[in-house]
Amino acid sequence: MTDVPKILLSIVPLLFAIILHEVSHGWVAEKLGDPTARMMGRITLNPISHIDPLGTIILPGILLLTGSHFLFGWAKPVPVNFSNLRGGRRDMALVALSGPLSNFVLAVLSSIIFHLTLRGFMSSGGALDMVIVPIHLMAQYSVLYNLVLMAINLLPILPLDGGRIVAGLAPEQVAISMERMERYGMLIVLLLIASGIWSYLVSPVIYVFWRILM
């Protein structure tokens, strides 16, 4: 396949992974008492509602155009009013966990589709291949992207989900200290990605689950 079809086949699972991640946050928050995401129309799979110029368009576009072997992005965060959550900081941790958990579930489902379509992918010729081969490749991309999103978002840095989980479960003073550093969180994450340090932190996790699922 040429590069253009491969790029198109990689964009679809990436968008679905980051959108489902955010929708999961809003859905769980609603179940735990906060209807903010529902009221703002964010519990939807419509990509227009979730596009973040930097995380959904610019960063993935730069990575694709530069031929990066690593593709990453994020959607516009789903609004959550933590004061509405019935379980306080514990529920905040549950809302945060729902994002990486949704990526793990999607990676598992994509792995199943990958293995079910493997025989069709390896066969030659036939009109059915025009359907099976793209699905097979998108499933493969989906496993990788969802594992990457899961692993990176579990880093204990606010505003990432891992940081929110730690802040929700840690003693209050620790949570307050973490929240003071939140304004620098995304800068730290981007520096970790740009420097390649992130690879040493998340690659072992991605590798283990990749070997299990694929």
Side-chain angles (χ1 to χ4, degrees):
M1 304 183 77
T2 63
D3 288 340
V4 171
K6 282 187 176 181
I7 289 174
L8 293 176
L9 290 177
S10 66
I11 288 175
V12 172
L14 177 63
L15 283 176
F16 192 67
I18 61 180
I19 288 171
L20 185 65
H21 180 106
E22 293 300 332
V23 169
S24 297
H25 286 317
W27 185 82
V28 172
E30 182 181 37
K31 297 302 179 184
L32 296 176
D34 178 38
T36 305
R38 175 74 66 183
M39 292 169 58
M40 298 186 69
R42 295 296 306 281
I43 304 182
T44 173
L45 294 178
N46 182 354
I48 296 176
S49 299
H50 301 282
I51 289 177
D52 177 274
L54 176 60
T56 316
I57 299 175
I58 297 175
L59 179 59
I62 291 174
L63 293 173
L64 283 170
L65 291 173
T66 56
S68 173
H69 296 294
F70 166 68
L71 192 59
F72 179 65
W74 61 84
K76 185 167 56 176
V78 164
V80 177
N81 186 342
F82 294 116
S83 63
N84 288 336
L85 299 177
R86 292 185 291 268
R89 293 199 299 129
R90 181 207 64 187
D91 281 2
M92 180 180 76
L94 291 175
V95 171
L97 179 62
S98 66
L101 183 59
S102 71
N103 290 130
F104 175 72
V105 171
L106 190 52
V108 172
L109 294 176
S110 298
S111 171
I112 294 172
I113 295 173
F114 173 85
H115 290 291
L116 289 175
T117 56
L118 183 60
R119 180 175 298 180
F121 177 78
M122 298 182 68
S123 66
S124 58
L128 192 58
D129 283 2
M130 297 179 64
V131 176
I132 292 178
V133 171
I135 292 175
H136 178 80
L137 290 174
M138 282 194 292
Q140 183 179 30
Y141 287 131
S142 181
V143 173
L144 177 60
Y145 297 155
N146 278 284
L147 291 180
V148 169
L149 286 170
M150 178 192 73
I152 289 182
N153 275 284
L154 285 176
L155 290 173
I157 304 170
L158 286 174
L160 295 182
D161 297 324
R164 200 72 67 191
I165 293 168
V166 173
L169 300 177
E172 188 172 357
Q173 287 303 315
V174 175
I176 292 173
S177 297
M178 292 182 65
E179 288 167 0
R180 288 173 180 164
M181 294 295 295
E182 183 172 355
R183 70 182 71 179
Y184 309 109
M186 286 312 299
L187 177 60
I188 294 172
V189 172
L190 291 175
L191 288 174
L192 288 174
I193 293 174
S195 65
I197 296 176
W198 77 273
S199 181
Y200 297 99
L201 301 175
V202 303
S203 288
V205 176
I206 297 170
Y207 177 78
V208 168
F209 282 102
W210 179 267
R211 290 296 300 270
I212 292 173
L213 295 177
M214 304 298 281

